[in-house]
Amino acid sequence: MTQRIAYGAGYAIAIALLLFFVLFPFMQMLSTSLKPADEMFTVPTTWIPEHFTLDNFKAALNYGNFITYFLNSLAVSVITCVLVIVIAVLAAYGFTRLEFPGRKLLLNMILVSQMFCISAIVVPLYKLVGSLHLLNSYAGLVLAYLAFTVPVAIWLLRSFLLGIPHDMEEAAMMEGASRIKAFFHVIVPLLRPGIGATAAYVFLITWQEFLFALVFMTKQEFRTLPVGIMDFKGQYETNWGTMMAASLLISIPVFVLFLFIQRQLVAGLTEGATKG
């Protein structure tokens, strides 16, 4: 009995520490965004604002380019997410269901490509996109995002496909369905948890990505939110309240996305951890 109580107490303490480290930055951002300017740097620091204000949120929303940055980020993230899912689903299906020369070699090459960090491939991609005259365009940034999200998406979806029995697809084909029809009517519906988990991963990565957006989008009207938020940082001072408010506003689409697909995401992560 004593051992069980000690185990429960240790588990509760571990969860509390984990929640603290996860929620602390968010709570700090929320506290700063709700403070007026004269309360921002008071000593001792107050975690709960003495005078709540929404002026920082109003300033962020009324900033001339904020909506433009938001729409740019939304367009790039959605387009990238859709293209990655289409490419990765087809590629993962080919790697798990079809036999062709060099299949294992290609899989290993895809895996090895993930050993390179983003900063190592930004220059080659910049030259490639520049040679295609796609700088300062959605197409160029999406192409760069595809380069480092498609390989991960293929491996994620491949693990889910390996957990789908071949018999189900073969049964549909024995009933007269073509391979393509069996793919769309049997495989894709069973793959929805994996698609949801992969889509959430791709959207989160592209929504918050900074380096590629900074390098590929040099014109202000094409900037995305992670880069555009730096407008609140001046040469001699930084408007921390407005910056924190803008950062919280940026997190809303991600929160809404996870709210709608949380069931598929949990199921997808659970299945991905136990299959393949």
Side-chain angles (χ1 to χ4, degrees):
M1 185 67 180
T2 304
Q3 185 177 3
R4 183 179 300 179
I5 295 176
Y7 175 80
Y11 183 78
I13 293 173
I15 294 296
L17 289 174
L18 178 62
L19 288 175
F20 174 78
F21 283 110
V22 171
L23 295 178
F24 178 77
F26 176 80
M27 299 305 298
Q28 177 67 24
M29 289 168 55
L30 181 61
S31 174
T32 304
S33 66
L34 294 174
K35 290 180 179 180
D38 57 353
E39 194 180 332
M40 203 77 64
F41 302 103
T42 55
V43 179
T45 302
T46 57
W47 293 102
I48 300 178
E50 297 181 1
H51 304 91
F52 286 90
T53 179
L54 296 177
D55 291 343
N56 293 318
F57 289 93
K58 294 178 182 178
L61 290 172
N62 291 330
Y63 177 71
N65 294 318
F66 185 84
I67 301 300
T68 301
Y69 297 157
F70 180 89
L71 295 177
N72 289 340
S73 289
L74 186 63
V76 170
S77 298
V78 171
I79 293 172
T80 303
C81 193
V82 172
L83 291 177
V84 168
I85 293 300
V86 172
I87 296 172
V89 168
L90 295 175
Y93 179 82
F95 282 123
T96 54
R97 293 296 195 265
L98 304 178
E99 293 289 343
F100 54 89
R103 183 169 66 96
K104 292 184 178 180
L105 177 61
L106 288 174
L107 271 174
N108 290 330
M109 289 177 62
I110 292 174
L111 183 61
V112 169
S113 68
Q114 296 308 295
M115 297 174 59
F116 300 96
C117 61
I118 294 178
S119 58
I121 63 175
V122 64
V123 174
L125 280 177
Y126 180 84
K127 292 183 177 180
L128 174 62
V129 173
S131 65
L132 296 174
H133 305 288
L134 294 178
L135 295 176
N136 289 310
S137 67
Y138 291 160
L141 190 56
V142 168
L143 182 63
Y145 287 162
L146 290 176
F148 72 91
T149 54
V150 167
V152 178
I154 291 175
W155 272 94
L156 286 174
L157 290 171
R158 179 177 175 273
S159 66
F160 292 104
L161 277 166
L162 290 173
I164 299 176
H166 290 254
D167 298 342
M168 302 182 68
E169 185 180 1
E170 293 174 354
M173 296 175 66
M174 291 180 62
E175 293 294 330
S178 62
R179 180 177 290 273
I180 295 178
K181 189 174 182 179
F183 170 76
F184 283 105
H185 290 274
V186 177
I187 299 299
V188 173
L190 294 174
L191 199 58
R192 279 186 297 181
I195 292 175
T198 305
Y201 163 79
V202 174
F203 185 88
L204 178 62
I205 291 296
T206 54
W207 182 262
Q208 67 180 6
E209 200 282 325
F210 177 82
L211 181 59
F212 281 1
L214 176 66
V215 174
F216 288 80
M217 299 298 200
T218 57
K219 294 183 179 179
Q220 190 175 35
E221 61 268 23
F222 292 105
R223 290 177 180 172
T224 57
L225 276 173
V227 179
I229 199 174
M230 297 303 295
D231 289 353
F232 299 112
K233 179 178 175 61
Q235 183 177 1
Y236 300 105
E237 63 177 355
T238 299
N239 192 335
W240 291 108
T242 307
M243 180 177 285
M244 294 300 102
S247 300
L248 288 173
L249 292 173
I250 290 175
S251 65
I252 291 177
V254 177
F255 174 78
V256 173
L257 173 66
F258 277 85
L259 187 66
F260 278 101
I261 68 170
Q262 59 178 331
R263 185 173 300 176
Q264 290 85 353
L265 181 61
V266 172
L269 293 177
T270 303
E271 292 182 16
T274 58
K275 294 179 181 179

